Amino acid sequence: MAHHRHRKFNTRDTYPEQALDNDLAQAVVARGTTIFLRGQCPQDLDTARNIDSHDPAEQTHKVMRNIRQLVEECGGRMEHVTKLVVYLTDVRHREAVYRTMGEYIRGVHPVCTGLVVVALARPEWLVEIDATAVIPD
């Protein structure tokens, strides 16, 4: 593991009433080159076109693929992700979004904060996630 993940946990233990299975941590101690990503939305990175879906899981797949692509373009890997901030427009989408996000962070254990907001920059967006990654020295 590239960084020290302090107090690792899985959401299936902390939220037993929800069908979640995400590897997270309470803190990450990292040293290296930091990559700050802007909030990623369900749109193509090259064309800025939205995906043609109003499904929260499908939107999250696109968001996480964008995060992975950007981290890799900057010379990192998903295991270098240290923090995620998830913005949802509807708390009822939480399980679908977090289950999907969990597929991309299996074994990574970033810190994560989730917020429910009134709206995102475009009304058709259900989820936005910003990420920070640190490429180790």
Side-chain angles (χ1 to χ4, degrees):
M1 185 61 49
H3 307 297
H4 172 69
R5 312 297 172 140
H6 184 70
R7 291 185 179 236
K8 294 179 189 177
F9 68 95
N10 188 287
T11 53
R12 73 177 162 268
D13 301 321
T14 55
Y15 300 99
E17 74 282 3
Q18 298 177 16
L20 299 177
D21 183 18
N22 294 344
D23 291 332
L24 300 176
Q26 293 292 344
V28 176
V29 180
R31 294 178 192 258
T33 302
T34 305
I35 304 166
F36 299 98
L37 300 183
R38 75 186 293 250
Q40 293 301 304
C41 300
Q43 63 181 186
D44 184 88
L45 286 171
D46 296 320
T47 66
R49 288 193 186 120
N50 293 334
I51 66 167
D52 189 26
S53 175
H54 296 288
D55 177 72
E58 287 182 29
Q59 288 196 10
T60 305
H61 274 296
K62 182 57 179 163
V63 167
M64 293 305 294
R65 286 192 303 266
N66 285 354
I67 289 170
R68 181 176 58 206
Q69 179 180 341
L70 290 167
V71 167
E72 289 175 355
E73 286 175 358
C74 292
R77 297 186 304 271
M78 286 301 286
E79 71 184 55
H80 299 147
V81 171
T82 56
K83 183 172 184 171
L84 298 170
V85 180
V86 180
Y87 302 89
L88 302 173
T89 59
D90 189 328
V91 72
R92 293 171 293 191
H93 298 316
R94 184 175 187 275
E95 286 186 58
V97 167
Y98 275 70
R99 271 196 310 269
T100 305
M101 183 181 73
E103 296 174 26
Y104 296 84
I105 59 169
R106 178 80 46 229
V108 174
H109 297 275
V111 297
C112 185
T113 298
L115 302 161
V116 178
V117 297
V118 173
L120 296 168
R122 292 195 174 153
E124 60 272 24
W125 294 346
L126 305 175
V127 59
E128 181 173 339
I129 303 174
D130 73 51
T132 303
V134 180
I135 301 171
D137 291 332

